[in-house]
């Protein structure tokens, strides 16, 4: 099991770069609120936010829906284009999939836990 302080790696091809490996520390489990594609407000499983003008014109509606997802937080930099790359622990085991990063800070880099990925895939 991944423990706080353990090394975590992101392995991938961000943008048009060669294969990269970023390393950092596993910070812990958290939750992130992300956009969720809901057809109606009633079908939104999370929070609904009003979208102000002129952004409502750009997205074609005056509201957006979000949902809270489980995540692993890491100091490992996740570059643009690394989404979908495996997050690997110090033993070489895949612990999740990279999905959001902040290259300006050593935190706010997020990985979907492998357990959650498996549960989603089992629904297909």
């Amino acid at each position: 099991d991944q423990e706080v302080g353990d090394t975590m790696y992101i392995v991938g091809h961000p943008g048009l770069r060669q294969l990269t490996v970023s390393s950092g520390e596993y910070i812990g489990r958290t939750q992130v609120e992300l956009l969720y594609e809901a057809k109606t407000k009633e079908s939104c499983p999370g929070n609904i936010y009003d979208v102000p003008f002129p952004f409502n014109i750009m997205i074609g509606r005056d509201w957006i829906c979000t949902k809270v997802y489980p995540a692993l937080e890491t100091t490992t930099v996740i570059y643009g284009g690394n989404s979908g790359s495996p997050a690997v622990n110090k033993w070489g085991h895949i612990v999740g999939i990279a999905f959001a990063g902040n290259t300006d800070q050593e935190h706010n880099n997020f990985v979907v836990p492998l357990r959650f990925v498996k549960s989603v895939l089992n629904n297909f």
Side-chain angles (χ1 to χ4, degrees), residues 23-49:
S23 65
E25 289 185 14
Y26 170 65
I27 296 173
R29 294 187 181 276
T30 188
Q31 295 182 332
V32 293
E33 184 179 30
L34 300 172
L35 291 176
Y36 181 85
E37 182 63 37
K39 301 296 181 200
T40 65
K41 285 184 178 183
E42 295 74 30
S43 66
C44 178
N47 294 315
I48 297 171
Y49 297 98

Side-chain angles (χ1 to χ4, degrees), residues 2 5-6 14 17-18 25 33 36 45 48-49 54 59 68-69 72 75-76 80 95 105 109-110 114 117-118:
Q2 191 82 2
D6 281 351
R17 297 181 187 157
Q18 301 264 337
E25 289 185 14
E33 184 179 30
Y36 181 85
I48 297 171
Y49 297 98
I59 67 169
V68 174
Y69 294 90
L72 307 177
T75 64
T76 310
V95 295
Q105 301 180 35
N109 295 291
F110 300 103
L114 189 58
V117 173
K118 286 180 180 178

Side-chain angles (χ1 to χ4, degrees):
D1 233 2
Q2 191 82 2
E3 294 186 24
V4 172
D6 281 351
T7 302
M8 181 181 281
Y9 303 92
I10 304 296
V11 182
H13 291 272
L16 298 174
R17 297 181 187 157
Q18 301 264 337
L19 178 67
T20 62
V21 178
S22 303
S23 65
E25 289 185 14
Y26 170 65
I27 296 173
R29 294 187 181 276
T30 188
Q31 295 182 332
V32 293
E33 184 179 30
L34 300 172
L35 291 176
Y36 181 85
E37 182 63 37
K39 301 296 181 200
T40 65
K41 285 184 178 183
E42 295 74 30
S43 66
C44 178
N47 294 315
I48 297 171
Y49 297 98
D50 292 329
V51 177
F53 178 82
F55 303 107
N56 60 344
I57 294 171
M58 290 189 282
I59 67 169
R61 62 171 78 162
D62 60 358
W63 59 274
I64 57 169
C65 174
T66 64
K67 182 178 177 181
V68 174
Y69 294 90
L72 307 177
E73 188 171 3
T74 180
T75 64
T76 310
V77 175
I78 297 174
Y79 297 101
N82 266 141
S83 294
S85 295
V88 181
N89 66 16
K90 63 183 179 183
W91 299 283
H93 301 127
I94 295 175
V95 295
I97 305 296
F99 75 91
N102 184 346
T103 57
D104 295 334
Q105 301 180 35
E106 288 190 346
H107 54 83
N108 295 332
N109 295 291
F110 300 103
V111 171
V112 176
L114 189 58
R115 177 177 59 239
F116 183 70
V117 173
K118 286 180 180 178
S119 70
V120 170
L121 293 176
N122 286 335
N123 291 323
F124 289 95

